[in-house]
mmCIF file with all atom_site columns, all heavy atoms in Angstrom:
data_model
loop_
_atom_site.group_PDB
_atom_site.id
_atom_site.type_symbol
_atom_site.label_atom_id
_atom_site.label_alt_id
_atom_site.label_comp_id
_atom_site.label_asym_id
_atom_site.label_entity_id
_atom_site.label_seq_id
_atom_site.pdbx_PDB_ins_code
_atom_site.Cartn_x
_atom_site.Cartn_y
_atom_site.Cartn_z
_atom_site.occupancy
_atom_site.B_iso_or_equiv
_atom_site.pdbx_formal_charge
_atom_site.auth_seq_id
_atom_site.auth_comp_id
_atom_site.auth_asym_id
_atom_site.auth_atom_id
_atom_site.pdbx_PDB_model_num
ATOM 1  N N   . SER B 1 166 ? 48.652 -64.846 -1.475 1.00 85.00 ? 176 SER B N   1
ATOM 2  C CA  . SER B 1 166 ? 47.765 -63.674 -1.464 1.00 85.00 ? 176 SER B CA  1
ATOM 3  C C   . SER B 1 166 ? 46.748 -63.841 -0.353 1.00 85.00 ? 176 SER B C   1
ATOM 4  O O   . SER B 1 166 ? 45.586 -64.130 -0.590 1.00 85.00 ? 176 SER B O   1
ATOM 5  C CB  . SER B 1 166 ? 47.062 -63.506 -2.818 1.00 85.00 ? 176 SER B CB  1
ATOM 6  O OG  . SER B 1 166 ? 46.257 -62.340 -2.785 1.00 85.00 ? 176 SER B OG  1
ATOM 7  N N   . PRO B 1 167 ? 47.221 -63.682 0.866  1.00 89.00 ? 177 PRO B N   1
ATOM 8  C CA  . PRO B 1 167 ? 46.377 -64.051 1.991  1.00 89.00 ? 177 PRO B CA  1
ATOM 9  C C   . PRO B 1 167 ? 45.312 -63.013 2.308  1.00 89.00 ? 177 PRO B C   1
ATOM 10 O O   . PRO B 1 167 ? 45.479 -61.819 2.073  1.00 89.00 ? 177 PRO B O   1
ATOM 11 C CB  . PRO B 1 167 ? 47.382 -64.136 3.145  1.00 89.00 ? 177 PRO B CB  1
ATOM 12 C CG  . PRO B 1 167 ? 48.423 -63.119 2.805  1.00 89.00 ? 177 PRO B CG  1
ATOM 13 C CD  . PRO B 1 167 ? 48.509 -63.102 1.307  1.00 89.00 ? 177 PRO B CD  1
ATOM 14 N N   . ASP B 1 168 ? 44.203 -63.522 2.847  1.00 94.00 ? 178 ASP B N   1
ATOM 15 C CA  . ASP B 1 168 ? 43.193 -62.656 3.461  1.00 94.00 ? 178 ASP B CA  1
ATOM 16 C C   . ASP B 1 168 ? 43.480 -62.717 4.952  1.00 94.00 ? 178 ASP B C   1
ATOM 17 O O   . ASP B 1 168 ? 43.497 -63.793 5.526  1.00 94.00 ? 178 ASP B O   1
ATOM 18 C CB  . ASP B 1 168 ? 41.781 -63.180 3.163  1.00 94.00 ? 178 ASP B CB  1
ATOM 19 C CG  . ASP B 1 168 ? 41.545 -63.378 1.676  1.00 94.00 ? 178 ASP B CG  1
ATOM 20 O OD1 . ASP B 1 168 ? 41.848 -62.457 0.895  1.00 94.00 ? 178 ASP B OD1 1
ATOM 21 O OD2 . ASP B 1 168 ? 41.071 -64.466 1.299  1.00 94.00 ? 178 ASP B OD2 1
ATOM 22 N N   . ILE B 1 169 ? 43.721 -61.583 5.537  1.00 94.00 ? 179 ILE B N   1
ATOM 23 C CA  . ILE B 1 169 ? 44.254 -61.575 6.900  1.00 94.00 ? 179 ILE B CA  1
ATOM 24 C C   . ILE B 1 169 ? 43.242 -61.023 7.897  1.00 94.00 ? 179 ILE B C   1
ATOM 25 O O   . ILE B 1 169 ? 42.508 -60.071 7.580  1.00 94.00 ? 179 ILE B O   1
ATOM 26 C CB  . ILE B 1 169 ? 45.529 -60.698 6.965  1.00 94.00 ? 179 ILE B CB  1
ATOM 27 C CG1 . ILE B 1 169 ? 46.582 -61.227 5.995  1.00 94.00 ? 179 ILE B CG1 1
ATOM 28 C CG2 . ILE B 1 169 ? 46.077 -60.597 8.371  1.00 94.00 ? 179 ILE B CG2 1
ATOM 29 C CD1 . ILE B 1 169 ? 47.484 -62.288 6.553  1.00 94.00 ? 179 ILE B CD1 1
ATOM 30 N N   . VAL B 1 170 ? 43.231 -61.614 9.082  1.00 96.00 ? 180 VAL B N   1
ATOM 31 C CA  . VAL B 1 170 ? 42.406 -61.097 10.165 1.00 96.00 ? 180 VAL B CA  1
ATOM 32 C C   . VAL B 1 170 ? 43.321 -60.510 11.228 1.00 96.00 ? 180 VAL B C   1
ATOM 33 O O   . VAL B 1 170 ? 44.232 -61.187 11.720 1.00 96.00 ? 180 VAL B O   1
ATOM 34 C CB  . VAL B 1 170 ? 41.519 -62.210 10.771 1.00 96.00 ? 180 VAL B CB  1
ATOM 35 C CG1 . VAL B 1 170 ? 40.709 -61.678 11.940 1.00 96.00 ? 180 VAL B CG1 1
ATOM 36 C CG2 . VAL B 1 170 ? 40.594 -62.773 9.697  1.00 96.00 ? 180 VAL B CG2 1
ATOM 37 N N   . LEU B 1 171 ? 43.083 -59.251 11.555 1.00 96.00 ? 181 LEU B N   1
ATOM 38 C CA  . LEU B 1 171 ? 43.931 -58.515 12.511 1.00 96.00 ? 181 LEU B CA  1
ATOM 39 C C   . LEU B 1 171 ? 43.091 -58.064 13.695 1.00 96.00 ? 181 LEU B C   1
ATOM 40 O O   . LEU B 1 171 ? 41.881 -57.905 13.558 1.00 96.00 ? 181 LEU B O   1
ATOM 41 C CB  . LEU B 1 171 ? 44.460 -57.225 11.876 1.00 96.00 ? 181 LEU B CB  1
ATOM 42 C CG  . LEU B 1 171 ? 45.116 -57.257 10.518 1.00 96.00 ? 181 LEU B CG  1
ATOM 43 C CD1 . LEU B 1 171 ? 45.190 -55.832 9.988  1.00 96.00 ? 181 LEU B CD1 1
ATOM 44 C CD2 . LEU B 1 171 ? 46.502 -57.836 10.643 1.00 96.00 ? 181 LEU B CD2 1
ATOM 45 N N   . ILE B 1 172 ? 43.752 -57.763 14.800 1.00 96.00 ? 182 ILE B N   1
ATOM 46 C CA  . ILE B 1 172 ? 43.006 -57.128 15.892 1.00 96.00 ? 182 ILE B CA  1
ATOM 47 C C   . ILE B 1 172 ? 42.921 -55.620 15.649 1.00 96.00 ? 182 ILE B C   1
ATOM 48 O O   . ILE B 1 172 ? 43.745 -55.042 14.946 1.00 96.00 ? 182 ILE B O   1
ATOM 49 C CB  . ILE B 1 172 ? 43.667 -57.356 17.272 1.00 96.00 ? 182 ILE B CB  1
ATOM 50 C CG1 . ILE B 1 172 ? 45.113 -56.843 17.285 1.00 96.00 ? 182 ILE B CG1 1
ATOM 51 C CG2 . ILE B 1 172 ? 43.575 -58.807 17.680 1.00 96.00 ? 182 ILE B CG2 1
ATOM 52 C CD1 . ILE B 1 172 ? 45.742 -56.828 18.677 1.00 96.00 ? 182 ILE B CD1 1
ATOM 53 N N   . ASN B 1 173 ? 41.907 -55.031 16.254 1.00 96.00 ? 183 ASN B N   1
ATOM 54 C CA  . ASN B 1 173 ? 41.807 -53.578 16.290 1.00 96.00 ? 183 ASN B CA  1
ATOM 55 C C   . ASN B 1 173 ? 42.216 -53.188 17.704 1.00 96.00 ? 183 ASN B C   1
ATOM 56 O O   . ASN B 1 173 ? 41.539 -53.562 18.666 1.00 96.00 ? 183 ASN B O   1
ATOM 57 C CB  . ASN B 1 173 ? 40.359 -53.155 15.990 1.00 96.00 ? 183 ASN B CB  1
ATOM 58 C CG  . ASN B 1 173 ? 40.180 -51.651 16.019 1.00 96.00 ? 183 ASN B CG  1
ATOM 59 O OD1 . ASN B 1 173 ? 40.924 -50.933 16.676 1.00 96.00 ? 183 ASN B OD1 1
ATOM 60 N ND2 . ASN B 1 173 ? 39.189 -51.154 15.304 1.00 96.00 ? 183 ASN B ND2 1
ATOM 61 N N   . VAL B 1 174 ? 43.340 -52.496 17.856 1.00 94.00 ? 184 VAL B N   1
ATOM 62 C CA  . VAL B 1 174 ? 43.851 -52.246 19.205 1.00 94.00 ? 184 VAL B CA  1
ATOM 63 C C   . VAL B 1 174 ? 42.998 -51.260 19.995 1.00 94.00 ? 184 VAL B C   1
ATOM 64 O O   . VAL B 1 174 ? 43.222 -51.083 21.194 1.00 94.00 ? 184 VAL B O   1
ATOM 65 C CB  . VAL B 1 174 ? 45.336 -51.775 19.205 1.00 94.00 ? 184 VAL B CB  1
ATOM 66 C CG1 . VAL B 1 174 ? 46.203 -52.791 18.493 1.00 94.00 ? 184 VAL B CG1 1
ATOM 67 C CG2 . VAL B 1 174 ? 45.500 -50.407 18.605 1.00 94.00 ? 184 VAL B CG2 1
ATOM 68 N N   . SER B 1 175 ? 42.042 -50.601 19.323 1.00 93.00 ? 185 SER B N   1
ATOM 69 C CA  . SER B 1 175 ? 41.093 -49.738 20.026 1.00 93.00 ? 185 SER B CA  1
ATOM 70 C C   . SER B 1 175 ? 39.704 -50.331 19.844 1.00 93.00 ? 185 SER B C   1
ATOM 71 O O   . SER B 1 175 ? 38.875 -49.796 19.109 1.00 93.00 ? 185 SER B O   1
ATOM 72 C CB  . SER B 1 175 ? 41.095 -48.318 19.440 1.00 93.00 ? 185 SER B CB  1
ATOM 73 O OG  . SER B 1 175 ? 42.381 -47.790 19.420 1.00 93.00 ? 185 SER B OG  1
ATOM 74 N N   . PRO B 1 176 ? 39.424 -51.454 20.504 1.00 96.00 ? 186 PRO B N   1
ATOM 75 C CA  . PRO B 1 176 ? 38.178 -52.167 20.211 1.00 96.00 ? 186 PRO B CA  1
ATOM 76 C C   . PRO B 1 176 ? 36.933 -51.433 20.689 1.00 96.00 ? 186 PRO B C   1
ATOM 77 O O   . PRO B 1 176 ? 36.965 -50.756 21.717 1.00 96.00 ? 186 PRO B O   1
ATOM 78 C CB  . PRO B 1 176 ? 38.347 -53.486 20.966 1.00 96.00 ? 186 PRO B CB  1
ATOM 79 C CG  . PRO B 1 176 ? 39.290 -53.177 22.075 1.00 96.00 ? 186 PRO B CG  1
ATOM 80 C CD  . PRO B 1 176 ? 40.206 -52.116 21.574 1.00 96.00 ? 186 PRO B CD  1
ATOM 81 N N   . ILE B 1 177 ? 35.867 -51.606 19.904 1.00 95.00 ? 187 ILE B N   1
ATOM 82 C CA  . ILE B 1 177 ? 34.576 -51.091 20.332 1.00 95.00 ? 187 ILE B CA  1
ATOM 83 C C   . ILE B 1 177 ? 33.884 -52.126 21.202 1.00 95.00 ? 187 ILE B C   1
ATOM 84 O O   . ILE B 1 177 ? 33.102 -51.787 22.081 1.00 95.00 ? 187 ILE B O   1
ATOM 85 C CB  . ILE B 1 177 ? 33.695 -50.777 19.113 1.00 95.00 ? 187 ILE B CB  1
ATOM 86 C CG1 . ILE B 1 177 ? 34.252 -49.583 18.345 1.00 95.00 ? 187 ILE B CG1 1
ATOM 87 C CG2 . ILE B 1 177 ? 32.258 -50.496 19.519 1.00 95.00 ? 187 ILE B CG2 1
ATOM 88 C CD1 . ILE B 1 177 ? 33.473 -49.261 17.092 1.00 95.00 ? 187 ILE B CD1 1
ATOM 89 N N   . GLU B 1 178 ? 34.122 -53.361 20.894 1.00 96.00 ? 188 GLU B N   1
ATOM 90 C CA  . GLU B 1 178 ? 33.520 -54.456 21.653 1.00 96.00 ? 188 GLU B CA  1
ATOM 91 C C   . GLU B 1 178 ? 34.501 -55.628 21.659 1.00 96.00 ? 188 GLU B C   1
ATOM 92 O O   . GLU B 1 178 ? 35.513 -55.612 20.969 1.00 96.00 ? 188 GLU B O   1
ATOM 93 C CB  . GLU B 1 178 ? 32.195 -54.907 21.031 1.00 96.00 ? 188 GLU B CB  1
ATOM 94 C CG  . GLU B 1 178 ? 30.953 -54.210 21.565 1.00 96.00 ? 188 GLU B CG  1
ATOM 95 C CD  . GLU B 1 178 ? 30.760 -54.352 23.063 1.00 96.00 ? 188 GLU B CD  1
ATOM 96 O OE1 . GLU B 1 178 ? 31.190 -55.371 23.646 1.00 96.00 ? 188 GLU B OE1 1
ATOM 97 O OE2 . GLU B 1 178 ? 30.181 -53.427 23.665 1.00 96.00 ? 188 GLU B OE2 1
#
Side-chain angles (χ1 to χ4, degrees):
Chain B
S176 182
D178 306 311
I179 301 272
V180 177
L181 310 165
I182 57 170
N183 180 335
V184 304
S185 306
I187 291 177
E188 269 302 331

